[in-house]
Amino acid sequence: QVQLVESGGGLVQTGGSLRLSCAASKLSFSIYTLNWFRQARGKQRELVASISPGSSTNYPDSVKGRFTISRDNAKTTVYLQMNSLKPEDTAVYYCNARRWGDAYWGQGTQVTVSS
């Protein structure tokens, strides 16, 4: 079955950087929109980055200019480069692959930003 496996989370100080990776298997990767969501404790899951099959990207204002999503179709991997991290970026980060009615999720990776 389809698997999405995130990696790269961890503990970082305010102002630091992390790069998350999400490796997909058994998925027609190139035709899917790929997303990164996050969920902080006690809050709803929110979209933080999206990249289309044609590599168009979208970000909410809260991360625009700090986060960059990219994809490598040959490696079936999506990345999230996170710079200038803030304590409010602390959350579990999930990758998601979506196409029409299909949606797949990874297990999540914890990102903690200390002040």
Side-chain angles (χ1 to χ4, degrees):
Q1 71 254 23
V2 172
Q3 278 195 313
L4 301 176
V5 180
E6 299 100 335
S7 60
L11 174 65
V12 64
Q13 290 186 331
T14 297
S17 298
L18 283 174
R19 189 194 195 204
L20 305 183
S21 300
C22 174
S25 59
K26 299 186 179 179
L27 182 73
S28 297
F29 188 82
S30 64
I31 64 174
Y32 277 74
T33 293
L34 305 168
N35 306 295
W36 285 97
F37 287 77
R38 67 185 180 190
Q39 187 166 20
R41 188 171 298 179
K43 295 189 176 181
Q44 287 189 328
R45 193 171 294 191
E46 63 171 345
L47 178 68
V48 295
S50 180
I51 186 165
S52 72
S55 294
S56 296
T57 58
N58 276 293
Y59 308 91
D61 288 344
S62 58
V63 307
K64 196 173 291 183
R66 300 189 298 123
F67 289 12
T68 302
I69 189 171
S70 60
R71 63 192 296 162
D72 186 332
N73 289 339
K75 295 182 179 180
T76 63
T77 300
V78 59
Y79 305 96
L80 184 67
Q81 177 67 44
M82 304 185 293
N83 299 328
S84 303
L85 284 161
K86 306 175 181 180
E88 52 264 43
D89 295 317
T90 295
V92 179
Y93 284 70
Y94 298 90
C95 71
N96 163 266
R98 178 179 55 81
R99 180 176 183 266
W100 299 106
D102 286 344
Y104 302 98
W105 292 90
Q107 83 288 350
T109 186
Q110 176 71 46
V111 171
T112 303
V113 184
S114 64
S115 56

